[in-house]
Structure formats: structure tokens, C-alpha cells
């Protein structure tokens, strides 16, 4: 994967002396620099050359003490601890460092990354472990290292700044040089050691000779970061119409790749919220074209190199447009959402390949990403032995040594595009499928069941051999929001595959989340590791936890899950509401204020916390017969569709899906009586995108269940807007009423 270099400020005009800091790197943007700029750097180059000559890799502490660690030593984040012995005098993002910046009047470096980030590791080895680099950083800057997974609020602010000054394209490591108060004057990503030194010297020189110029730059960036979100709220928003939704989803479908599936792009990200929205819309609108696109996307992802064909699970994205060459890190949030997506797809389309994706991916997560107490770890690194993808790729010779059986060898090579020259770098092969295995079997005149068994055996042999290699590093911190996603994924997989083990995993994780990541007096916490939680939760932690506990209620009829979701909702309303009392800030009112306070709307790889909350509030309004929740949900949904539905709606796909509720309110399916559990499980195995489930062997406490229990009988009540049709006793009859 080529490295990305983003260090220009071409989106903001009149940056005067900042033009001196624009380099030419043909790897990105092909930005040219003037002769004046070259002259400006001559002095810096001389100094930099001297420092580079003197520099070396060192574990010696370089902050004026004789210690061997910096201020990260008491952190629990594996990513921060990877930098604890750098000679750079790193601080964590805490009051101590922020106040030191203001007191010292030094510029700050805010460097953001995460443990499975390949280029973060490269920059750590090349620059942050180097004494020449650390000497410059320690003398002139307050350096703060941030784990973006622990602190998405900090990452969000500086990523927005990076997108402002770099035309939207940014990545990690995300490095920002800021004024002492945290306002950025430069934001970019990976630089070589030489480039990083030049940049630091140049900005420090500019700060010393004319600090007012940096102040002007910071003010211009800050003005773009400060957005008035009140414009997104209308006292009389346009109602959602069938025609409006048709136009929106027609526009979204035009952004999709009709050949390879997914969104048209030179790199492919799974985008589960987008695919879920298209699948749900095609179901309601009976749109055959979008339906075909959904199936195509799901099949192409499952066949591509983005999917781990041996152990199950998905990598984060591919660096090509055909899903072939992955960036090899595995993230919990991707796998959780894709397990849910393929579970829904199996319910909808009944394709056996989708069942296999769910089963194999669940096996991977439960076996490799789960703490013994039940919560889930964050990620696996992209690299092992210092090399990206090494754990997952193969030479043909390696495969020949592992698979001695001729038929197994032939089927495996044919199925996964193995060549002697390799289908990737250095003669190595990534496993991906373009050949239909049944056609290969037919061509070779093999008996199908025996051949499929032989292929399965060959995959097991390859997996066993792979497990003897050096495993990629596993980040074992547990994050609240990602665990919420995975709890829901376990529940969704349980419903689709009727597997009680998956539901038990969801229940166990949910209980551990309440025990370890929740304080009734303070609310949720973001992180948990080594029996320690240290960061108050953000909006997405509440949103995905609420969503998970609502789903658990549907599959257990245990009202404690429903009550906990409502309890979290009340905290959200109290601590996160915006000034209009419609949307919610990403950070709590009690959190330390950042340079900008954001309300997230975009549905990207992970849907926006506000869109997930809108759906949770909608459902809470139904369950508790409480318009306080449903009215707010409606305002959120209608405002978002009005604001974002006209252009680039694919970036707000979850909001657009929620617009369906405005046209087709959800069914309330109440199941009450001694056989409620069995009938609930049967119903839950169906694709029910426009329904909520409630009930129990007794009436429980919910208003919607009152007077529905008939002694000795179990009835299914299909209701909408609290008006019920005649009850039925069999699931197929209930499905007919839904249709």
C-alpha cells in the first residue's frame, strides 16, 4: 500500500508564509513549490542534515531525566504503551499536557493513531524512536500522543481540520502542529524522518520570527471548524414522501459500482450502513435493480481478498476497486457490523454462502477477539514480523508443501487464484475467489460432494499451517461502542442462524459491559482494560449500547434490557443535547471543551451516533408508549433528510433508511403466552426490517401488552400505531399480516 502524504493548505486562501511549508511529493497531489520556497528551506536543510547525521535509534529517555519511559507509562492503551520508551517526551491527552502547553507557550504536536495502523508503526520506528527527532520535539514542542480509538472526540476535531486543509483526503497517523491552546496551524499524515524534521524546524522558525502569521492561520482553520448546527433544525420540515425517498435512493444507487459492488471508489470500504439501507429500501419499494446490487455487493465482498477465507472475518478495506488487496488489519467494528449485515442478508435472500460468512466470522470473533469474561477486544494488527500482510499470504511453493493431496491442491489453487508468480507482491498470493468452484469441479469431472469436502479439508490444513506463524499483535483494550456493535451482531447472528450459543455470547458480553463499563452515578465509560476504566463515554458509546440492549430485549423479552436502554437514553438527553434539544453533541456537557464541539451526522464505515440514536428513540417511543422519545426521533430524522437528502445522500444512508419509518411506521409484534419463547424465535429468524418484537409468557409491564394474555393460549398480535389486527397462533399467519 502506498503511503499517503498530506501536508498542503490549498483550501484556505492567503496563508502567506505558510506557503513556505508546502513540499512537493509526487505520491500525492503532485503539488509544486516555488524557487522562493526552496531557498527558504536551505537553512533548515543544513540544520536538518546535521541532526540526521547525529541521529540514531535509541530507547534512551530524552526528556531531561535518566528514566527509561515518558509520561505514557501509566496509560492502559496498547497504542500509547507502544510509544512509552520513545525518546520523545510524550504526554497523554490530559489536563497536565494541555495546561503545560499554555503555561510554556510552546507549540504542541498532537499525534493520533491506533495500534493496528501500519503507517503509525512505520513513523514510530523511523521518527519517534530517533534521538535527532526527539531532540527537536522535546526542545521546542509539547508532544501529545493520542489513541484515536480511545479518544474519537479528539481525533474527530483534528481529522476535520485535516480534511479542511487537504481537500477531504486524510488518514493515520494524523499529525497536527498547534498553537499552545490546541488550535492547529498544520495538519497532515505520515512523513519520513527527513520530511518531519524539516517541517518541525520550519514551523518553529516561523513561530519565532512571526507568531502572528501562525495565529492568522489558526483562526482561518478554526473558522471552518465552527459550524452552526441550528441550521439543520427546522420548525416545519418537509414531510418525507414516497417520491422523495425514491429520488434519494435512486441517487444513492448511481454512486454504486455495478460491476464489483460497493460504492464507486479506487479503494473499497465495506460501508455496512449503506448496504443495509439499500437492502431495506429495495425490500419496501420492491426495487429489483437495487436488490440485485445488494446481492452483488455482498457476494463480491465475500469472494474478495477483504474476507479471510481460512479463519473468517473481514479486513478493514482494500486498496483496489475490486475487493482483492486488503489492508490487513482486522477491526471489531467492521466484523460486528458485517456479521449483522450478512445475518440480515441470509434472512432476506436465504443464500447459503451468506450463512457461511456469518458462521465463520462469528467463529473468528468468538475464538480470537473475546476476553474470557465475555467482552470483545478491539483489533488485530496489519503486520507481523514488521511486514504488512505476512501472516495471511502465500507462495505457491508453501502451498505445495502443505497440501500433498493432488485433488486438494488443485481445488485450493483454482478456488483462490494461486499462481507461481503470485497475484500480489514478491511472488506471494492473496486468497480471493473469481472462479466458481462448482464450475472447476465440473470441468475436472469430480464428484461434487467429495470435491467440496476436499476443498474444506485443504482450507483447514492451510489454516493450521498459518496458525504456526507469528500472529499479528492483538489490541486487547475493550471499547464500549464497539462492544455494543458486537453484542448486537451476536444477537443478529443468533436470530438468523437460530444458534443459541451466539445469543449466550451476547448476553454474557452485555452483563460484563454493565458491570465493568457502567457506573449508575456517572454513566458509561469508553474503555476497559486490566480492570481499569479511565475515559467517560462519548455519544457513540451510548448510541450503540442502547441499540444492542434493545435488540437483546427483542430476543429474550427480558425487560431489564429495555429498562437499561431507557436509562441510557435519559443520560443522553440530560448530558449531550444540543441547544435546540433536537440533536446531540458527540461529547458530554461535563467533558473538557475541545477547540470545536461537534455533532456527527455522516454515516461512514460506522453510522453516525445521532442516526443510531434516532432509531433507538423511535423504538423507545413505541415500547414505552412515550411521545417524548418518538417526537424527538421524528424531528431528528426529518431534519436530517431535509438537510442532507438532496446531495451525497450516500454519506447519510442510515438517516435515509430511517425515513422509511415516516412512510411505513414499524409493526409492533406482541407475542404473549406460554409458548411465547418458541414463537418469538421462529419470528426472529425472518427478515423483519419494519417491526419490533415484544412480549413474554406474562404480560409484563409494557402498555402495549396489557390485556393481551389469554389463559392457556399463546397469541401473536400484529399491530401498527397501537392498533392491532386479529391475533393469530402461528408464525406464517403473522408473516402474512405483515405483508
Amino acid at each position: 500500500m502506498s503511503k499517503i502524504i498530506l501536508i498542503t493548505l490549498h483550501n484556505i486562501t492567503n496563508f502567506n508564509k505558510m506557503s513556505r511549508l508546502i513540499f512537493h511529493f509526487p505520491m500525492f497531489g503532485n503539488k509544486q513549490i516555488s524557487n522562493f520556497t526552496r531557498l527558504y528551506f536551505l537553512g533548515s536543510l543544513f540544520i536538518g542534515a546535521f541532526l540526521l547525521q547525529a541521529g540514531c535509534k535509541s530507547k534512551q529517555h530524552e526528556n531531561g531525566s535518566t528514566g527509561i519511559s515518558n509520561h505514557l507509562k501509566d496509560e492502559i492503551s496498547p497504542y500509547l504503551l507502544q510509544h512509552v520508551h520513545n525518546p520523545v517526551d510524550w504526554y497523554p491527552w490530559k489536563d497536565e499536557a494541555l495546561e503545560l502547553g499554555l503555561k510554556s507557550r510552546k507549540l504542541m504536536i498532537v499525534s493520533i493513531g491506533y495500534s493496528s495502523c501500519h503507517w503509525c508503526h512505520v513513523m514510530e520506528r523511523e521518527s519517534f524512536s530517533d534521538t535527532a527527532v526527539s531532540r527537536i520535539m522535546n526542545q521546542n514542542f509539547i508532544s501529545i500522543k493520542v489513541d484515536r480509538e480511545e479518544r474519537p472526540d479528539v481525533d474527530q476535531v483534528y481529522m476535520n481540520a485535516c480534511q479542511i486543509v487537504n481537500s477531504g483526503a486524510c488518514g493515520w497517523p494524523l499529525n497536527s502542529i498547534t498553537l499552545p491552546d490546541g488550535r492547529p496551524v498544520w495538519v497532515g499524515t505520515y512523513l519520513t524522518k527527513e520530511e518531519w524534521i524539516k517541517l518541525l524546524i520550519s514551523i518553529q522558525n516561523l513561530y519565532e520570527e512571526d507568531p502572528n502569521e501562525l495565529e492568522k492561520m489558526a483562526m482561518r482553520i478554526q473558522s471552518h471548524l465552527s459550524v452552526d448546527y441550528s441550521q439543520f433544525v427546522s420548525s416545519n420540515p418537509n414531510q418525507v414522501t414516497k417520491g422523495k425517498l425514491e429520488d434519494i435512493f435512486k441517487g444513492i444507487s448511481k454512486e454504486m459500482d455495478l460491476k464489483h459492488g460497493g460504492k464507486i471508489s479506487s479503494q473499497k470500504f465495506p460501508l455496512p450502513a449503506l448496504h443495509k439501507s439499500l437492502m431495506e429500501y429495495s425490500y419496501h419499494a420492491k426495487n429489483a435493480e437495487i436488490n440485485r446490487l445488494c446481492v452483488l455487493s455482498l457476494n463480491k465482498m465475500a469472494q474478495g481478498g477483504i474476507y479471510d477465507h481460512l479463519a473468517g472475518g473481514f479486513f478493514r478495506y482494500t486498496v483496489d476497486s475490486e475487493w482483492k488487496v486488503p489492508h490487513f488489519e482486522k477491526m471489531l467494528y467492521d466484523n460486528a457490523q458485517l456479521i449483522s449485515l450478512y445475518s440480515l442478508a441470509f434472512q432476506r435472500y436465504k443464500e447459503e454462502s451468506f450463512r457461511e460468512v456469518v458462521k465463520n466470522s462469528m467463529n473468528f470473533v468468538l475464538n480470537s477477539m473475546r476476553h474470557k469474561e465475555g467482552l470483545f477486544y478491539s483489533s488485530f494488527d496489519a503486520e507481523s514480523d514488521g511486514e504488512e500482510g505476512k501472516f495471511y499470504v502465500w507462495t505457491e511453493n508453501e502451498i505445495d508443501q502443505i497440501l500433498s493431496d493432488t485433488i486438494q491442491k488443485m481445488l485450493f489453487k483454482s478456488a483462490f487464484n494461486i499462481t507461481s508468480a503470485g497475484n500480489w507482491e514478491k511472488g506471494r498470493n492473496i486468497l480471493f475467489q473469481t472462479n466458481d468452484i462448482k464450475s472447476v469441479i465440473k470441468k475436472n469431472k469430480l464428484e461434487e460432494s467429495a470435491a467440496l469436502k476436499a476443498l474444506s479439508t485443504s482450507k483447514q490444513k492451510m489454516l493450521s499451517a498459518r496458525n504456526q506463524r507469528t500472529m499479528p499483535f492483538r489490541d486487547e483494550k475493550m471499547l464500549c461502542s464497539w462492544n455494543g456493535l458486537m453484542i448486537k451482531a451476536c444477537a443478529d447472528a443468533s436470530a438468523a442462524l437460530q444458534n443459541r450459543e451466539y445469543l449466550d455470547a451476547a448476553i454474557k458480553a452485555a452483563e460484563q459491559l454493565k458491570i465493568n463499563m457502567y457506573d449508575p452515578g456517572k454513566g458509561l465509560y469508553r474503555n476497559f482494560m486490566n480492570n481499569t476504566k479511565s475515559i467517560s463515554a462519548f455519544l457513540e458509546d451510548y448510541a450503540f449500547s442502547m441499540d444492542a440492549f434493545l435488540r437483546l430485549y427483542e430476543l429474550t423479552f427480558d425487560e431489564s434490557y429495555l429498562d437499561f436502554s431507557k436509562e441510557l437514553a435519559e443520560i443522553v438527553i440530560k448530558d449531550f443535547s444540543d441547544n435546540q434539544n433536537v440533536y446531540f453533541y458527540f461529547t458530554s456537557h461535563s467533558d473538557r471543551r475541545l477547540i470545536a464541539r461537534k455533532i456527527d451526522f455522516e454515516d461512514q464505515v460506522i453510522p453516525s451516533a445521532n442516526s443510531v440514536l434516532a432509531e433507538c428513540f423511535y423504538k423507545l417511543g413505541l415500547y414505552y408508549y412515550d411521545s417524548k422519545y418518538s417526537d424527538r426521533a421524528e424531528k431528528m430524522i426529518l431534519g436530517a433528510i431535509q438537510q442532507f437528502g438532496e446531495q451525497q445522500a450516500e454519506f447519510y444512508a442510515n438517516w435515509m433508511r430511517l425515513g422509511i419509518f415516516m412512510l411505513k411506521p414499524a409493526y409492533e409484534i406482541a407475542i404473549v403466552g406460554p409458548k411465547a419463547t418458541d414463537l418469538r424465535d421462529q419470528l426472529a429468524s425472518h427478515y423483519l426490517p419494519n417491526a419490533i418484537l415484544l412480549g413474554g409468557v406474562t404480560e409484563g409491564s409494557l402498555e402495549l401488552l396489557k390485556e393481551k394474555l389469554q389463559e392457556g393460549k399463546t397469541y401473536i398480535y400484529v399491530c401498527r400505531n397501537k392498533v392491532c389486527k386479529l391475533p393469530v397462533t402461528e408464525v406464517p399467519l403473522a408473516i402474512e399480516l405483515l405483508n
Side-chain angles (χ1 to χ4, degrees):
M1 182 177 127
S2 64
K3 56 185 176 181
I4 301 171
I5 299 177
L6 302 167
I7 59 171
T8 65
L9 293 164
H10 54 267
N11 258 17
I12 302 177
T13 59
N14 299 320
F15 263 56
N16 302 323
K17 294 184 181 180
M18 198 61 173
S19 63
R20 302 174 186 177
L21 304 181
I22 301 176
F23 307 121
H24 168 53
F25 294 116
M27 280 176 281
F28 189 89
N30 209 27
K31 300 291 177 186
Q32 300 293 334
I33 63 174
S34 67
N35 288 329
F36 174 78
T37 306
R38 299 176 200 277
L39 289 172
Y40 177 85
F41 281 114
L42 286 177
S44 299
L45 287 170
F46 177 80
I47 298 170
F50 173 79
L51 291 168
L52 288 169
Q53 182 72 23
C56 62
K57 298 291 187 292
S58 173
K59 297 301 180 185
Q60 179 182 355
H61 197 49
E62 183 91 359
N63 60 5
S65 72
T66 58
I68 59 170
S69 59
N70 50 41
H71 295 85
L72 303 178
K73 63 181 182 302
D74 295 324
E75 297 301 302
I76 62 173
S77 160
Y79 175 67
L80 298 185
L81 292 175
Q82 286 167 2
H83 295 77
V84 74
H85 294 300
N86 289 166
V88 175
D89 190 18
W90 291 116
Y91 286 81
W93 182 276
K94 289 182 178 177
D95 290 347
E96 178 187 5
L98 302 175
E99 290 165 5
L100 182 60
L102 290 171
K103 182 178 179 180
S104 68
R105 300 303 301 163
K106 286 184 177 182
L107 296 176
M108 295 201 301
I109 295 170
V110 180
S111 181
I112 305 171
Y114 55 103
S115 70
S116 58
C117 166
H118 172 68
W119 287 103
C120 299
H121 297 322
V122 174
M123 195 163 182
E124 189 273 335
R125 290 192 291 264
E126 291 179 349
S127 295
F128 302 144
S129 296
D130 186 88
T131 55
V133 175
S134 67
R135 190 174 298 117
I136 298 170
M137 293 175 66
N138 294 344
Q139 181 176 342
N140 300 297
F141 300 88
I142 302 299
S143 299
I144 300 177
K145 178 57 71 173
V146 178
D147 183 339
R148 69 171 289 257
E149 296 170 353
E150 279 194 336
R151 295 304 304 254
D153 58 329
V154 177
D155 177 65
Q156 188 181 79
V157 169
Y158 289 101
M159 179 58 72
N160 286 350
C162 186
Q163 291 166 340
I164 288 167
V165 300
N166 293 295
S167 295
C170 291
W172 295 276
L174 180 65
N175 295 302
S176 180
I177 299 176
T178 82
L179 296 181
D181 61 6
R183 289 177 296 148
V185 297
W186 180 91
V187 197
T189 181
Y190 169 81
L191 297 179
T192 65
K193 181 174 77 170
E194 292 84 358
E195 293 159 357
W196 183 240
I197 285 179
K198 292 174 191 176
L199 177 69
L200 295 178
I201 292 172
S202 299
I203 290 184
Q204 180 61 27
N205 287 345
L206 183 57
Y207 186 50
E208 291 174 358
E209 85 178 41
D210 194 352
N212 288 334
E213 280 300 319
L214 291 184
E215 175 65 29
K216 292 176 184 177
M217 297 168 198
M219 288 177 64
R220 293 187 183 106
I221 297 175
Q222 184 67 28
S223 68
H224 287 73
L225 288 174
S226 302
V227 179
D228 180 11
Y229 295 102
S230 63
Q231 63 178 303
F232 300 157
V233 181
S234 173
S235 59
N236 185 28
N238 296 329
Q239 294 297 309
V240 177
T241 64
K242 180 180 179 181
K244 185 176 182 67
L245 275 185
E246 285 178 350
D247 291 342
I248 287 171
F249 278 95
K250 187 182 295 183
I252 292 175
S253 65
K254 289 180 180 178
E255 300 299 320
M256 304 300 287
D257 186 335
L258 300 179
K259 182 177 181 181
H260 301 294
K263 189 176 180 294
I264 296 171
S265 177
S266 59
Q267 297 181 331
K268 285 290 177 71
F269 288 82
L271 302 176
L274 175 61
H275 290 100
K276 179 181 177 182
S277 299
L278 288 169
M279 185 163 62
E280 193 164 325
Y281 175 75
S282 68
Y283 170 83
H284 288 292
K286 296 179 173 54
N287 187 307
E289 180 181 351
I290 294 181
N291 202 47
R292 284 193 296 272
L293 181 58
C294 293
V295 175
L296 171 71
S297 296
L298 291 163
N299 278 325
K300 289 294 185 180
M301 282 192 287
Q303 294 163 3
I306 195 171
Y307 179 64
D308 186 344
H309 292 274
L310 298 184
F314 289 84
F315 302 110
R316 194 160 77 93
Y317 67 94
T318 61
V319 299
D320 63 284
S321 62
E322 300 180 22
W323 305 106
K324 288 183 179 179
V325 181
H327 186 46
F328 288 93
E329 58 197 6
K330 280 184 172 182
M331 315 300 294
L332 181 64
Y333 63 79
D334 284 319
N335 283 283
Q337 291 181 96
L338 287 166
I339 287 169
S340 288
L341 178 66
Y342 277 89
S343 295
L344 294 171
F346 175 68
Q347 290 174 315
R348 173 88 194 276
Y349 303 115
K350 300 302 181 185
E351 290 204 12
E352 191 61 29
S353 61
F354 296 164
R355 177 201 285 271
E356 288 301 303
V357 168
V358 174
K359 184 178 73 173
N360 294 335
S361 297
M362 280 297 301
N363 286 344
F364 161 70
V365 172
L366 294 180
N367 292 330
S368 301
M369 297 193 78
R370 183 168 58 158
H371 186 275
K372 62 182 180 180
E373 298 296 329
L375 288 171
F376 298 95
Y377 300 134
S378 293
S379 63
F380 276 99
D381 232 347
E383 63 178 51
S384 55
D385 296 327
E387 188 174 347
E388 184 179 6
K390 184 178 180 181
F391 183 73
Y392 300 101
V393 296
W394 307 88
T395 64
E396 184 180 45
N397 184 54
E398 287 173 326
I399 295 170
D400 289 341
Q401 291 179 10
I402 295 165
L403 301 178
S404 57
D405 182 88
T406 303
I407 298 297
Q408 291 178 12
K409 187 184 305 182
M410 182 274 295
L411 287 171
F412 188 86
K413 289 183 180 181
S414 298
F416 296 114
N417 291 279
I418 306 301
T419 69
S420 57
N423 60 38
W424 190 45
E425 301 170 344
K426 302 177 182 178
R428 295 173 298 184
N429 292 274
I430 295 169
L431 305 186
F432 61 86
Q433 291 182 288
T434 54
N435 302 317
D436 176 40
I437 190 61
K438 291 187 177 180
S439 298
V440 174
I441 292 171
K442 185 176 181 180
K443 179 181 178 180
N444 288 275
K445 299 180 180 179
L446 300 173
E447 196 276 319
E448 183 174 311
S449 62
L452 291 175
K453 183 177 180 180
L455 179 60
S456 177
T457 300
S458 68
K459 289 166 67 176
Q460 287 300 317
K461 288 181 179 179
M462 293 296 296
L463 179 61
S464 296
R466 195 178 81 177
N467 287 339
Q468 302 306 308
R469 295 175 169 179
T470 301
M471 287 282 292
F473 174 77
R474 181 173 65 187
D475 187 329
E476 296 188 356
K477 70 174 178 292
M478 290 157 273
L479 298 172
C480 185
S481 63
W482 298 6
N483 269 270
L485 288 168
M486 194 62 222
I487 290 167
K488 186 177 183 184
C490 291
D492 288 341
S494 171
L497 274 57
Q498 291 293 283
N499 186 317
R500 178 70 200 191
E501 178 190 353
Y502 300 160
L503 183 59
D504 289 342
I507 291 170
K508 186 175 183 180
E511 292 305 312
Q512 288 299 308
L513 188 151
K514 289 178 69 175
I515 292 169
N516 295 309
M517 306 183 82
Y518 181 66
D519 183 330
K522 296 181 180 179
L524 288 171
Y525 284 83
R526 170 71 178 175
N527 61 336
F528 182 72
M529 187 174 179
N530 298 332
N531 293 315
T532 302
K533 50 183 181 285
S534 58
I535 300 171
S536 297
F538 303 107
L539 189 68
E540 68 175 28
D541 299 301
Y542 284 92
F544 295 127
S545 296
M546 287 169 60
D547 196 30
F549 278 82
L550 285 171
R551 185 59 169 148
L552 280 180
Y553 169 72
E554 286 193 290
L555 299 184
T556 63
F557 290 163
D558 182 342
E559 289 187 13
S560 69
Y561 297 128
L562 198 57
D563 291 339
F564 186 64
S565 187
K566 183 182 179 183
E567 187 175 337
L568 297 182
E570 291 301 318
I571 297 174
V572 168
I573 292 171
K574 174 178 174 288
D575 291 344
F576 292 85
S577 288
D578 70 1
N579 295 332
Q580 305 288 328
N581 286 319
V582 175
Y583 297 105
F584 300 95
Y585 290 112
F586 192 78
T587 54
S588 166
H589 299 321
S590 60
D591 288 334
R592 181 184 179 116
R593 297 298 291 269
L594 304 177
I595 59 172
R597 196 175 185 197
K598 311 301 291 184
I599 295 178
D600 68 324
F601 288 98
E602 287 193 9
D603 301 316
Q604 295 278 356
V605 173
I606 295 179
S608 69
N610 270 279
S611 69
V612 174
L613 278 173
E615 183 169 3
C616 291
F617 275 66
Y618 177 83
K619 292 178 178 178
L620 285 172
L622 295 178
Y623 280 124
Y624 286 102
Y625 209 76
D626 192 336
S627 61
K628 176 180 74 172
Y629 301 117
S630 54
D631 288 350
R632 186 151 188 175
E634 184 172 325
K635 286 180 182 178
M636 294 173 73
I637 296 166
L638 293 177
I641 290 176
Q642 180 183 7
Q643 183 67 27
F644 304 117
E646 298 300 327
Q647 295 180 343
Q648 291 191 305
E650 68 272 16
F651 293 108
Y652 306 93
N654 202 48
W655 287 111
M656 303 308 124
R657 178 182 68 85
L658 299 181
I660 298 171
F661 293 162
M662 304 297 101
L663 290 178
K664 295 178 178 291
Y667 285 105
E668 305 128 17
I669 306 178
I671 312 166
V672 185
K675 296 181 181 179
T677 298
D678 181 55
L679 294 180
R680 176 201 64 216
D681 293 346
Q682 291 181 44
L683 261 171
S685 69
H686 290 265
Y687 182 63
L688 303 172
N690 61 333
I692 63 169
L693 302 179
L694 63 158
V697 295
T698 65
E699 285 185 344
S701 65
L702 299 178
E703 186 73 26
L704 289 171
L705 297 177
K706 286 186 177 179
E707 299 181 3
K708 286 185 169 61
L709 179 64
Q710 304 295 320
E711 188 174 350
K713 301 281 188 179
T714 303
Y715 285 113
I716 305 171
Y717 298 82
V718 176
C719 314
R720 178 178 264 173
N721 291 326
K722 305 171 183 66
V723 177
C724 300
K725 301 178 182 181
L726 290 175
V728 296
T729 58
E730 298 177 8
V731 168
L733 297 175
I735 297 297
E736 286 183 20
L737 294 177
L738 293 173
N739 296 328

